[in-house]
């Protein structure tokens, strides 16, 4: 405070004006008038100095607070219940620093997630790559045609797996980056379900899975292509956990709040401890297949959430699983 140039200038000017007016009062009016002017000026100057010191003290505290924030130290709450411009400034500064702190925490969390995702991707790609390298070495020396066909089939399967993994990761990355726009259109639930099931018909027939669906004229407002892809990932997950004579059923339902497509199976179910995590990326539960990557359901959840929808799941181990794909109605 003592080194504040503005404060020194203000004090010097105030003192000079008080002295000049006092002298002029003595000269032109009299000693009593000069004394009254001097006392009045001195009181005004003293009051002004006191309030100015307080103001500068508060500003100095704010400056110290901002220095702590910039240095990364914990910034205590500086809100107060007083009125005035300085209190409003304190409140706005606190809001700004709180927002910056929250954004910093989000960035830190994003870095951790990115590091974990890169590690998971590396692990998922390493396994098929290693297998393909081994198969390639064996092909160079193997003369048995049946063995060579077996090795080529294994390589083809691994390539398909890598292609699916890379394509899915690219889709997730585009959604995370906000470069995919969901284009809503009015479509019937029946037409969507027919498209969903089409790629799995032969697989279900070969596996001996019984399939049934609804015939409904319920209209959904959604991005048709992305919705089909999302629910296809759910159906794919169901089929992977089903055996011969198990049943897969797809139904539609409408309430006052939402419209939903229900996918249920009588497969092995999901373990209770796995239920809270099945939509997490790269999470593989107790009953996951050996070739499971753990991003199919994560992609499904992300695609539906991007359309302001949601996916809920209920499951009993050994009995089956039910997925509820919900599209909430717009409230006007």
């Amino acid at each position: 405070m003592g080194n504040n140039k503005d404060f020194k200038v203000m004090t010097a000017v105030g003192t000079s004006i008080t002295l000049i007016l006092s002298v002029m009062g003595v000269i032109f009016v009299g000693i009593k008038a000069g004394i009254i002017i001097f006392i009045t000026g001195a009181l005004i100057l003293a009051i002004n100095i006191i309030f100015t010191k307080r103001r500068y003290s508060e500003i100095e505290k704010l400056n110290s607070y901002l220095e702590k924030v910039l240095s990364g130290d914990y910034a205590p709450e500086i809100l107060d219940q007083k009125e005035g411009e300085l209190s409003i400034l304190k409140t706005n500064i606190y809001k700004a620093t709180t927002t910056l702190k929250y954004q910093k925490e989000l960035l830190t969390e994003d870095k951790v997630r990115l590091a974990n995702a890169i590690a998971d991707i590396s692990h998922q790609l390493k396994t098929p790559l290693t297998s393909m390298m081994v198969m390639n070495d064996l092909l160079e020396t193997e003369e048995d045609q049946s063995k060579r066909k077996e090795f080529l089939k294994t390589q083809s399967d691994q390539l398909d797996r890598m292609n699916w993994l890379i394509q899915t990761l690219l889709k997730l990355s585009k959604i995370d980056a906000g470069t995919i726009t969901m284009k809503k259109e009015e479509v019937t639930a029946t037409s969507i379900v027919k498209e969903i099931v089409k790629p799995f018909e032969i697989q279900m027939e070969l596996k001996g899975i019984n399939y049934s669906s609804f015939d409904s004229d319920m209209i959904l407002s959604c991005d048709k292509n992305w919705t089909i892809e999302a629910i296809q990932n759910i159906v794919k997950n169901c089929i992977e956990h089903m055996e011969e004579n198990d049943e897969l059923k797809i139904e539609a339902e409408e309430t006052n709040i939402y419209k939903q497509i229900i996918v249920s199976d009588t497969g092995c179910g999901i373990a209770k401890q796995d239920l809270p995590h099945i939509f997490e990326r790269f999470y593989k539960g107790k009953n996951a297949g050996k070739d499971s990557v753990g991003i199919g359901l994560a992609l499904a959840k992300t695609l539906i959430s991007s359309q302001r929808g949601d996916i809920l799941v209920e499951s009993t181990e050994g009995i089956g699983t039910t997925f509820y794909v919900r599209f909430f109605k717009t409230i006007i």
Side-chain angles (χ1 to χ4, degrees), residues 197-255:
V197 175
K198 194 179 294 182
F200 304 106
E201 288 176 345
I202 295 175
Q203 185 181 356
M204 287 192 291
E205 186 178 343
L206 292 173
K207 204 169 181 179
I209 293 173
N210 300 312
Y211 166 70
S212 63
S213 65
F214 62 92
D215 187 11
S216 168
D217 57 359
M218 184 179 81
I219 302 295
L220 293 175
S221 178
C222 63
D223 186 301
K224 182 179 179 181
N225 293 329
W226 286 119
T227 299
I228 288 171
E229 175 145 1
I231 302 178
Q232 278 180 341
N233 278 289
I234 293 174
V235 172
K236 178 176 180 289
N237 180 271
C238 291
I239 293 174
E240 288 174 352
H241 294 84
M242 296 172 71
E243 302 293 339
E244 187 176 357
N245 295 322
D246 280 341
E247 296 182 2
L248 177 70
K249 184 186 293 184
I250 302 180
E251 302 170 281
E253 186 178 76
E254 182 175 358
T255 71

Short mmCIF file of all heavy atoms in Angstrom, two decimals, residues 197-255:
data_model
loop_
_atom_site.label_atom_id
_atom_site.label_comp_id
_atom_site.label_asym_id
_atom_site.label_seq_id
_atom_site.Cartn_x
_atom_site.Cartn_y
_atom_site.Cartn_z
N VAL A 197 -31.91 -57.08 -37.96
CA VAL A 197 -31.80 -58.54 -37.88
C VAL A 197 -31.19 -59.16 -39.13
O VAL A 197 -30.57 -60.23 -39.06
CB VAL A 197 -33.20 -59.14 -37.60
CG1 VAL A 197 -33.15 -60.66 -37.62
CG2 VAL A 197 -33.73 -58.65 -36.27
N LYS A 198 -31.34 -58.49 -40.27
CA LYS A 198 -30.93 -59.07 -41.56
C LYS A 198 -29.52 -59.69 -41.56
O LYS A 198 -29.34 -60.83 -42.01
CB LYS A 198 -31.03 -58.00 -42.65
CG LYS A 198 -30.96 -58.56 -44.07
CD LYS A 198 -31.10 -57.44 -45.09
CE LYS A 198 -32.48 -56.82 -45.04
NZ LYS A 198 -32.65 -55.76 -46.07
N PRO A 199 -28.47 -59.01 -41.04
CA PRO A 199 -27.13 -59.60 -41.09
C PRO A 199 -26.95 -60.84 -40.19
O PRO A 199 -25.97 -61.57 -40.34
CB PRO A 199 -26.22 -58.46 -40.59
CG PRO A 199 -27.04 -57.23 -40.67
CD PRO A 199 -28.45 -57.65 -40.45
N PHE A 200 -27.89 -61.06 -39.26
CA PHE A 200 -27.72 -62.14 -38.29
C PHE A 200 -28.60 -63.37 -38.59
O PHE A 200 -28.54 -64.35 -37.86
CB PHE A 200 -28.04 -61.64 -36.87
CG PHE A 200 -27.23 -60.46 -36.45
CD1 PHE A 200 -27.79 -59.19 -36.38
CD2 PHE A 200 -25.89 -60.60 -36.12
CE1 PHE A 200 -27.05 -58.09 -35.99
CE2 PHE A 200 -25.13 -59.50 -35.73
CZ PHE A 200 -25.71 -58.24 -35.67
N GLU A 201 -29.40 -63.30 -39.65
CA GLU A 201 -30.36 -64.37 -39.90
C GLU A 201 -29.67 -65.72 -40.12
O GLU A 201 -30.07 -66.74 -39.53
CB GLU A 201 -31.23 -64.01 -41.11
CG GLU A 201 -32.23 -62.90 -40.81
CD GLU A 201 -33.02 -62.48 -42.04
OE1 GLU A 201 -32.59 -62.84 -43.16
OE2 GLU A 201 -34.05 -61.78 -41.88
N ILE A 202 -28.65 -65.75 -40.95
CA ILE A 202 -27.94 -67.01 -41.22
C ILE A 202 -27.23 -67.49 -39.97
O ILE A 202 -27.27 -68.68 -39.64
CB ILE A 202 -26.93 -66.82 -42.38
CG1 ILE A 202 -27.67 -66.50 -43.68
CG2 ILE A 202 -26.06 -68.06 -42.54
CD1 ILE A 202 -26.76 -66.18 -44.85
N GLN A 203 -26.59 -66.57 -39.24
CA GLN A 203 -25.88 -66.94 -38.02
C GLN A 203 -26.82 -67.55 -36.99
O GLN A 203 -26.50 -68.56 -36.35
CB GLN A 203 -25.18 -65.70 -37.43
CG GLN A 203 -24.32 -66.02 -36.21
CD GLN A 203 -23.68 -64.75 -35.64
OE1 GLN A 203 -23.81 -63.66 -36.19
NE2 GLN A 203 -22.97 -64.91 -34.54
N MET A 204 -28.01 -66.97 -36.83
CA MET A 204 -28.97 -67.50 -35.87
C MET A 204 -29.49 -68.86 -36.31
O MET A 204 -29.69 -69.76 -35.50
CB MET A 204 -30.14 -66.51 -35.70
CG MET A 204 -29.77 -65.27 -34.91
SD MET A 204 -31.20 -64.26 -34.42
CE MET A 204 -31.74 -63.61 -36.01
N GLU A 205 -29.67 -69.03 -37.62
CA GLU A 205 -30.14 -70.32 -38.14
C GLU A 205 -29.10 -71.41 -37.90
O GLU A 205 -29.44 -72.52 -37.47
CB GLU A 205 -30.44 -70.19 -39.64
CG GLU A 205 -31.06 -71.44 -40.23
CD GLU A 205 -31.40 -71.27 -41.70
OE1 GLU A 205 -31.45 -70.12 -42.18
OE2 GLU A 205 -31.62 -72.31 -42.37
N LEU A 206 -27.83 -71.09 -38.18
CA LEU A 206 -26.77 -72.07 -37.98
C LEU A 206 -26.59 -72.42 -36.51
O LEU A 206 -26.27 -73.56 -36.15
CB LEU A 206 -25.45 -71.54 -38.55
CG LEU A 206 -25.38 -71.40 -40.09
CD1 LEU A 206 -24.09 -70.70 -40.49
CD2 LEU A 206 -25.46 -72.78 -40.75
N LYS A 207 -26.80 -71.43 -35.64
CA LYS A 207 -26.61 -71.64 -34.21
C LYS A 207 -27.85 -72.24 -33.54
O LYS A 207 -27.80 -72.64 -32.38
CB LYS A 207 -26.24 -70.30 -33.55
CG LYS A 207 -25.48 -70.44 -32.25
CD LYS A 207 -24.93 -69.10 -31.80
CE LYS A 207 -24.14 -69.26 -30.51
NZ LYS A 207 -23.57 -67.98 -30.05
N GLY A 208 -28.96 -72.30 -34.28
CA GLY A 208 -30.19 -72.88 -33.73
C GLY A 208 -30.89 -71.97 -32.75
O GLY A 208 -31.53 -72.44 -31.79
N ILE A 209 -30.80 -70.66 -32.98
CA ILE A 209 -31.44 -69.69 -32.09
C ILE A 209 -32.84 -69.37 -32.61
O ILE A 209 -33.03 -69.10 -33.80
CB ILE A 209 -30.59 -68.40 -32.00
CG1 ILE A 209 -29.27 -68.69 -31.30
CG2 ILE A 209 -31.35 -67.29 -31.27
CD1 ILE A 209 -28.29 -67.53 -31.31
N ASN A 210 -33.80 -69.40 -31.75
CA ASN A 210 -35.18 -69.08 -32.11
C ASN A 210 -35.38 -67.56 -32.01
O ASN A 210 -35.10 -66.97 -30.97
CB ASN A 210 -36.17 -69.79 -31.19
CG ASN A 210 -36.02 -71.30 -31.27
OD1 ASN A 210 -35.98 -71.86 -32.36
ND2 ASN A 210 -35.94 -71.96 -30.12
N TYR A 211 -35.90 -66.97 -33.08
CA TYR A 211 -36.06 -65.51 -33.11
C TYR A 211 -37.51 -65.13 -33.35
O TYR A 211 -38.20 -65.73 -34.18
CB TYR A 211 -35.19 -64.91 -34.22
CG TYR A 211 -35.53 -63.48 -34.55
CD1 TYR A 211 -35.25 -62.47 -33.64
CD2 TYR A 211 -36.17 -63.16 -35.75
CE1 TYR A 211 -35.58 -61.15 -33.94
CE2 TYR A 211 -36.51 -61.85 -36.05
CZ TYR A 211 -36.22 -60.85 -35.14
OH TYR A 211 -36.56 -59.55 -35.42
N SER A 212 -37.98 -64.12 -32.63
CA SER A 212 -39.32 -63.58 -32.86
C SER A 212 -39.28 -62.07 -32.71
O SER A 212 -38.48 -61.53 -31.94
CB SER A 212 -40.32 -64.18 -31.86
OG SER A 212 -39.98 -63.82 -30.53
N SER A 213 -40.15 -61.38 -33.46
CA SER A 213 -40.19 -59.92 -33.39
C SER A 213 -41.63 -59.45 -33.47
O SER A 213 -42.55 -60.25 -33.64
CB SER A 213 -39.36 -59.29 -34.52
OG SER A 213 -39.94 -59.59 -35.77
N PHE A 214 -41.83 -58.16 -33.38
CA PHE A 214 -43.16 -57.57 -33.37
C PHE A 214 -43.52 -57.06 -34.76
O PHE A 214 -42.67 -56.96 -35.64
CB PHE A 214 -43.19 -56.41 -32.39
CG PHE A 214 -42.23 -55.31 -32.80
CD1 PHE A 214 -42.65 -54.27 -33.59
CD2 PHE A 214 -40.89 -55.35 -32.40
CE1 PHE A 214 -41.78 -53.27 -33.97
CE2 PHE A 214 -40.02 -54.35 -32.79
CZ PHE A 214 -40.46 -53.31 -33.58
N ASP A 215 -44.75 -56.72 -34.94
CA ASP A 215 -45.20 -56.02 -36.14
C ASP A 215 -45.94 -54.78 -35.66
O ASP A 215 -47.10 -54.85 -35.26
CB ASP A 215 -46.11 -56.92 -36.97
CG ASP A 215 -46.45 -56.28 -38.32
OD1 ASP A 215 -45.81 -55.26 -38.64
OD2 ASP A 215 -47.34 -56.79 -39.01
N SER A 216 -45.24 -53.65 -35.66
CA SER A 216 -45.80 -52.44 -35.05
C SER A 216 -45.66 -51.27 -36.01
O SER A 216 -44.71 -51.18 -36.78
CB SER A 216 -45.08 -52.15 -33.74
OG SER A 216 -45.40 -50.87 -33.26
N ASP A 217 -46.62 -50.36 -35.94
CA ASP A 217 -46.54 -49.14 -36.74
C ASP A 217 -46.05 -47.96 -35.90
O ASP A 217 -46.23 -46.80 -36.26
CB ASP A 217 -47.89 -48.82 -37.37
CG ASP A 217 -49.00 -48.67 -36.32
OD1 ASP A 217 -48.70 -48.85 -35.11
OD2 ASP A 217 -50.14 -48.38 -36.71
N MET A 218 -45.42 -48.25 -34.76
CA MET A 218 -44.88 -47.20 -33.90
C MET A 218 -43.81 -46.42 -34.65
O MET A 218 -42.91 -47.00 -35.26
CB MET A 218 -44.29 -47.81 -32.62
CG MET A 218 -43.80 -46.77 -31.62
SD MET A 218 -43.14 -47.54 -30.10
CE MET A 218 -41.49 -47.99 -30.65
N ILE A 219 -43.91 -45.10 -34.62
CA ILE A 219 -42.98 -44.22 -35.33
C ILE A 219 -41.89 -43.74 -34.38
O ILE A 219 -42.16 -43.27 -33.28
CB ILE A 219 -43.70 -43.00 -35.94
CG1 ILE A 219 -44.80 -43.45 -36.90
CG2 ILE A 219 -42.71 -42.10 -36.65
CD1 ILE A 219 -44.31 -44.19 -38.12
N LEU A 220 -40.65 -43.88 -34.82
CA LEU A 220 -39.50 -43.38 -34.05
C LEU A 220 -38.91 -42.17 -34.76
O LEU A 220 -38.79 -42.17 -35.98
CB LEU A 220 -38.43 -44.47 -33.92
CG LEU A 220 -38.76 -45.70 -33.08
CD1 LEU A 220 -37.62 -46.71 -33.17
CD2 LEU A 220 -39.01 -45.32 -31.63
N SER A 221 -38.52 -41.17 -33.99
CA SER A 221 -37.81 -40.02 -34.53
C SER A 221 -36.34 -40.19 -34.17
O SER A 221 -35.94 -39.95 -33.03
CB SER A 221 -38.36 -38.72 -33.93
OG SER A 221 -37.64 -37.61 -34.41
N CYS A 222 -35.54 -40.62 -35.14
CA CYS A 222 -34.13 -40.93 -34.85
C CYS A 222 -33.32 -40.92 -36.14
O CYS A 222 -33.87 -40.80 -37.24
CB CYS A 222 -34.02 -42.30 -34.19
SG CYS A 222 -34.60 -43.66 -35.24
N ASP A 223 -32.01 -41.02 -35.99
CA ASP A 223 -31.14 -41.21 -37.14
C ASP A 223 -31.16 -42.70 -37.47
O ASP A 223 -30.62 -43.52 -36.72
CB ASP A 223 -29.71 -40.75 -36.82
CG ASP A 223 -28.80 -40.79 -38.03
OD1 ASP A 223 -28.64 -41.88 -38.61
OD2 ASP A 223 -28.26 -39.74 -38.41
N LYS A 224 -31.80 -43.06 -38.56
CA LYS A 224 -32.07 -44.46 -38.87
C LYS A 224 -30.79 -45.30 -38.92
O LYS A 224 -30.69 -46.35 -38.27
CB LYS A 224 -32.82 -44.57 -40.20
CG LYS A 224 -33.18 -46.00 -40.58
CD LYS A 224 -33.95 -46.06 -41.89
CE LYS A 224 -34.26 -47.50 -42.27
NZ LYS A 224 -35.00 -47.59 -43.55
N ASN A 225 -29.80 -44.85 -39.68
CA ASN A 225 -28.58 -45.66 -39.87
C ASN A 225 -27.81 -45.88 -38.58
O ASN A 225 -27.39 -47.00 -38.28
CB ASN A 225 -27.68 -45.00 -40.92
CG ASN A 225 -28.30 -45.02 -42.31
OD1 ASN A 225 -29.06 -45.94 -42.64
ND2 ASN A 225 -28.01 -44.01 -43.11
N TRP A 226 -27.63 -44.80 -37.80
CA TRP A 226 -26.87 -44.94 -36.56
C TRP A 226 -27.65 -45.74 -35.52
O TRP A 226 -27.08 -46.47 -34.72
CB TRP A 226 -26.50 -43.56 -36.00
CG TRP A 226 -25.39 -42.90 -36.75
CD1 TRP A 226 -25.45 -41.70 -37.41
CD2 TRP A 226 -24.05 -43.37 -36.93
NE1 TRP A 226 -24.23 -41.40 -37.99
CE2 TRP A 226 -23.36 -42.40 -37.71
CE3 TRP A 226 -23.36 -44.50 -36.51
CZ2 TRP A 226 -22.02 -42.54 -38.08
CZ3 TRP A 226 -22.01 -44.65 -36.88
CH2 TRP A 226 -21.37 -43.68 -37.65
N THR A 227 -28.98 -45.60 -35.53
CA THR A 227 -29.80 -46.38 -34.60
C THR A 227 -29.72 -47.87 -34.93
O THR A 227 -29.60 -48.71 -34.02
CB THR A 227 -31.26 -45.91 -34.66
OG1 THR A 227 -31.33 -44.53 -34.27
CG2 THR A 227 -32.14 -46.72 -33.71
N ILE A 228 -29.77 -48.19 -36.21
CA ILE A 228 -29.63 -49.59 -36.63
C ILE A 228 -28.29 -50.14 -36.17
O ILE A 228 -28.21 -51.25 -35.63
CB ILE A 228 -29.77 -49.71 -38.16
CG1 ILE A 228 -31.24 -49.47 -38.57
CG2 ILE A 228 -29.30 -51.06 -38.66
CD1 ILE A 228 -31.45 -49.36 -40.07
N GLU A 229 -27.22 -49.37 -36.38
CA GLU A 229 -25.90 -49.84 -35.97
C GLU A 229 -25.82 -50.05 -34.46
O GLU A 229 -25.24 -51.03 -33.99
CB GLU A 229 -24.82 -48.84 -36.41
CG GLU A 229 -23.44 -49.21 -35.92
CD GLU A 229 -22.34 -48.86 -36.90
OE1 GLU A 229 -22.64 -48.31 -37.98
OE2 GLU A 229 -21.18 -49.13 -36.59
N ALA A 230 -26.42 -49.14 -33.70
CA ALA A 230 -26.39 -49.25 -32.24
C ALA A 230 -27.07 -50.54 -31.78
O ALA A 230 -26.52 -51.32 -30.99
CB ALA A 230 -27.06 -48.03 -31.60
N ILE A 231 -28.28 -50.79 -32.29
CA ILE A 231 -29.04 -51.96 -31.85
C ILE A 231 -28.44 -53.24 -32.41
O ILE A 231 -28.52 -54.30 -31.78
CB ILE A 231 -30.53 -51.81 -32.21
CG1 ILE A 231 -31.09 -50.52 -31.58
CG2 ILE A 231 -31.34 -53.01 -31.70
CD1 ILE A 231 -32.54 -50.23 -31.91
N GLN A 232 -27.79 -53.16 -33.56
CA GLN A 232 -27.10 -54.34 -34.10
C GLN A 232 -25.98 -54.78 -33.15
O GLN A 232 -25.73 -55.98 -32.98
CB GLN A 232 -26.53 -54.04 -35.48
CG GLN A 232 -27.55 -54.18 -36.60
CD GLN A 232 -26.97 -53.89 -37.97
OE1 GLN A 232 -25.90 -53.26 -38.10
NE2 GLN A 232 -27.65 -54.34 -39.02
N ASN A 233 -25.31 -53.83 -32.54
CA ASN A 233 -24.27 -54.18 -31.57
C ASN A 233 -24.86 -54.89 -30.35
O ASN A 233 -24.24 -55.78 -29.78
CB ASN A 233 -23.50 -52.92 -31.13
CG ASN A 233 -22.43 -52.53 -32.12
OD1 ASN A 233 -21.40 -53.19 -32.24
ND2 ASN A 233 -22.66 -51.46 -32.86
N ILE A 234 -26.07 -54.47 -29.96
CA ILE A 234 -26.74 -55.13 -28.84
C ILE A 234 -27.13 -56.55 -29.24
O ILE A 234 -26.90 -57.51 -28.49
CB ILE A 234 -27.99 -54.33 -28.42
CG1 ILE A 234 -27.56 -52.98 -27.82
CG2 ILE A 234 -28.82 -55.12 -27.42
CD1 ILE A 234 -28.72 -52.05 -27.52
N VAL A 235 -27.73 -56.71 -30.44
CA VAL A 235 -28.14 -58.04 -30.91
C VAL A 235 -26.92 -58.94 -31.05
O VAL A 235 -26.95 -60.12 -30.67
CB VAL A 235 -28.88 -57.92 -32.27
CG1 VAL A 235 -29.13 -59.30 -32.86
CG2 VAL A 235 -30.20 -57.18 -32.08
N LYS A 236 -25.82 -58.40 -31.57
CA LYS A 236 -24.58 -59.17 -31.71
C LYS A 236 -24.11 -59.67 -30.35
O LYS A 236 -23.69 -60.83 -30.20
CB LYS A 236 -23.50 -58.29 -32.35
CG LYS A 236 -22.13 -58.94 -32.51
CD LYS A 236 -21.20 -57.98 -33.24
CE LYS A 236 -19.82 -58.59 -33.43
NZ LYS A 236 -19.06 -58.70 -32.17
N ASN A 237 -24.18 -58.81 -29.35
CA ASN A 237 -23.77 -59.19 -28.00
C ASN A 237 -24.67 -60.31 -27.46
O ASN A 237 -24.18 -61.25 -26.83
CB ASN A 237 -23.83 -57.96 -27.09
CG ASN A 237 -23.42 -58.27 -25.67
OD1 ASN A 237 -24.25 -58.65 -24.84
ND2 ASN A 237 -22.14 -58.12 -25.38
N CYS A 238 -25.96 -60.20 -27.73
CA CYS A 238 -26.91 -61.23 -27.26
C CYS A 238 -26.59 -62.58 -27.89
O CYS A 238 -26.50 -63.61 -27.19
CB CYS A 238 -28.34 -60.83 -27.60
SG CYS A 238 -28.97 -59.43 -26.65
N ILE A 239 -26.40 -62.58 -29.21
CA ILE A 239 -26.15 -63.83 -29.94
C ILE A 239 -24.87 -64.50 -29.45
O ILE A 239 -24.80 -65.73 -29.35
CB ILE A 239 -26.10 -63.56 -31.46
CG1 ILE A 239 -27.49 -63.15 -31.96
CG2 ILE A 239 -25.60 -64.79 -32.21
CD1 ILE A 239 -27.52 -62.72 -33.40
N GLU A 240 -23.85 -63.70 -29.16
CA GLU A 240 -22.58 -64.25 -28.68
C GLU A 240 -22.72 -64.98 -27.35
O GLU A 240 -21.89 -65.82 -27.00
CB GLU A 240 -21.54 -63.13 -28.54
CG GLU A 240 -21.03 -62.60 -29.88
CD GLU A 240 -20.11 -61.41 -29.72
OE1 GLU A 240 -19.99 -60.91 -28.56
OE2 GLU A 240 -19.52 -60.97 -30.72
N HIS A 241 -23.78 -64.66 -26.59
CA HIS A 241 -23.97 -65.28 -25.28
C HIS A 241 -25.15 -66.26 -25.27
O HIS A 241 -25.70 -66.57 -24.22
CB HIS A 241 -24.20 -64.19 -24.22
CG HIS A 241 -23.00 -63.31 -24.00
ND1 HIS A 241 -22.73 -62.23 -24.80
CD2 HIS A 241 -22.00 -63.38 -23.10
CE1 HIS A 241 -21.60 -61.65 -24.39
NE2 HIS A 241 -21.14 -62.32 -23.35
N MET A 242 -25.52 -66.74 -26.47
CA MET A 242 -26.64 -67.67 -26.57
C MET A 242 -26.19 -69.01 -27.13
O MET A 242 -25.20 -69.11 -27.87
CB MET A 242 -27.75 -67.07 -27.45
CG MET A 242 -28.36 -65.80 -26.88
SD MET A 242 -29.49 -64.97 -28.05
CE MET A 242 -30.87 -66.12 -28.05
N GLU A 243 -26.94 -70.06 -26.79
CA GLU A 243 -26.66 -71.41 -27.28
C GLU A 243 -27.85 -71.90 -28.10
O GLU A 243 -28.86 -71.20 -28.25
CB GLU A 243 -26.40 -72.36 -26.10
CG GLU A 243 -25.24 -71.95 -25.20
CD GLU A 243 -23.89 -72.03 -25.91
OE1 GLU A 243 -23.81 -72.75 -26.93
OE2 GLU A 243 -22.93 -71.37 -25.46
N GLU A 244 -27.75 -73.11 -28.60
CA GLU A 244 -28.82 -73.71 -29.40
C GLU A 244 -30.12 -73.76 -28.60
O GLU A 244 -30.12 -74.07 -27.40
CB GLU A 244 -28.42 -75.12 -29.84
CG GLU A 244 -29.40 -75.75 -30.81
CD GLU A 244 -28.93 -77.10 -31.30
OE1 GLU A 244 -27.82 -77.52 -30.92
OE2 GLU A 244 -29.68 -77.75 -32.06
N ASN A 245 -31.22 -73.44 -29.27
CA ASN A 245 -32.58 -73.43 -28.70
C ASN A 245 -32.85 -72.24 -27.77
O ASN A 245 -33.96 -72.14 -27.22
CB ASN A 245 -32.90 -74.74 -27.96
CG ASN A 245 -32.94 -75.93 -28.91
OD1 ASN A 245 -33.41 -75.81 -30.04
ND2 ASN A 245 -32.44 -77.08 -28.45
N ASP A 246 -31.87 -71.36 -27.59
CA ASP A 246 -32.15 -70.13 -26.85
C ASP A 246 -33.04 -69.23 -27.70
O ASP A 246 -33.12 -69.38 -28.93
CB ASP A 246 -30.85 -69.40 -26.50
CG ASP A 246 -30.16 -70.01 -25.29
OD1 ASP A 246 -30.83 -70.74 -24.54
OD2 ASP A 246 -28.95 -69.78 -25.11
N GLU A 247 -33.69 -68.27 -27.07
CA GLU A 247 -34.63 -67.40 -27.78
C GLU A 247 -34.20 -65.94 -27.74
O GLU A 247 -33.78 -65.44 -26.71
CB GLU A 247 -36.04 -67.53 -27.16
CG GLU A 247 -36.65 -68.91 -27.31
CD GLU A 247 -38.05 -68.98 -26.73
OE1 GLU A 247 -38.54 -67.93 -26.25
OE2 GLU A 247 -38.64 -70.07 -26.74
N LEU A 248 -34.32 -65.31 -28.90
CA LEU A 248 -34.05 -63.87 -29.03
C LEU A 248 -35.37 -63.20 -29.44
O LEU A 248 -36.01 -63.62 -30.40
CB LEU A 248 -32.98 -63.61 -30.08
CG LEU A 248 -32.66 -62.12 -30.35
CD1 LEU A 248 -31.94 -61.51 -29.16
CD2 LEU A 248 -31.83 -61.98 -31.62
N LYS A 249 -35.75 -62.17 -28.71
CA LYS A 249 -37.02 -61.50 -28.98
C LYS A 249 -36.79 -59.98 -29.05
O LYS A 249 -36.06 -59.41 -28.23
CB LYS A 249 -38.03 -61.81 -27.89
CG LYS A 249 -39.42 -61.24 -28.14
CD LYS A 249 -40.34 -61.46 -26.93
CE LYS A 249 -40.64 -62.93 -26.73
NZ LYS A 249 -41.61 -63.14 -25.61
N ILE A 250 -37.43 -59.34 -30.03
CA ILE A 250 -37.38 -57.89 -30.15
C ILE A 250 -38.81 -57.36 -30.16
O ILE A 250 -39.64 -57.80 -30.96
CB ILE A 250 -36.64 -57.44 -31.43
CG1 ILE A 250 -35.21 -58.00 -31.43
CG2 ILE A 250 -36.59 -55.91 -31.51
CD1 ILE A 250 -34.40 -57.61 -32.66
N GLU A 251 -39.09 -56.41 -29.26
CA GLU A 251 -40.43 -55.85 -29.12
C GLU A 251 -40.38 -54.33 -29.12
O GLU A 251 -39.29 -53.74 -29.01
CB GLU A 251 -41.07 -56.34 -27.80
CG GLU A 251 -41.16 -57.85 -27.68
CD GLU A 251 -41.56 -58.27 -26.28
OE1 GLU A 251 -40.68 -58.27 -25.39
OE2 GLU A 251 -42.74 -58.60 -26.08
N ALA A 252 -41.55 -53.72 -29.23
CA ALA A 252 -41.65 -52.25 -29.18
C ALA A 252 -42.67 -51.86 -28.13
O ALA A 252 -43.64 -52.59 -27.89
CB ALA A 252 -42.04 -51.69 -30.53
N GLU A 253 -42.43 -50.72 -27.51
CA GLU A 253 -43.34 -50.26 -26.46
C GLU A 253 -43.34 -48.73 -26.44
O GLU A 253 -42.31 -48.10 -26.68
CB GLU A 253 -42.90 -50.82 -25.11
CG GLU A 253 -43.84 -50.52 -23.96
CD GLU A 253 -43.36 -51.14 -22.67
OE1 GLU A 253 -42.41 -50.59 -22.06
OE2 GLU A 253 -43.92 -52.18 -22.27
N GLU A 254 -44.50 -48.16 -26.12
CA GLU A 254 -44.61 -46.69 -26.06
C GLU A 254 -45.28 -46.28 -24.76
O GLU A 254 -46.27 -46.88 -24.34
CB GLU A 254 -45.41 -46.17 -27.25
CG GLU A 254 -45.53 -44.65 -27.28
CD GLU A 254 -46.22 -44.14 -28.53
OE1 GLU A 254 -46.57 -44.97 -29.40
OE2 GLU A 254 -46.40 -42.91 -28.64
N THR A 255 -44.72 -45.25 -24.11
CA THR A 255 -45.32 -44.67 -22.91
C THR A 255 -45.52 -43.17 -23.15
O THR A 255 -45.22 -42.66 -24.24
CB THR A 255 -44.42 -44.88 -21.68
OG1 THR A 255 -43.26 -44.04 -21.80
CG2 THR A 255 -43.98 -46.34 -21.55
#
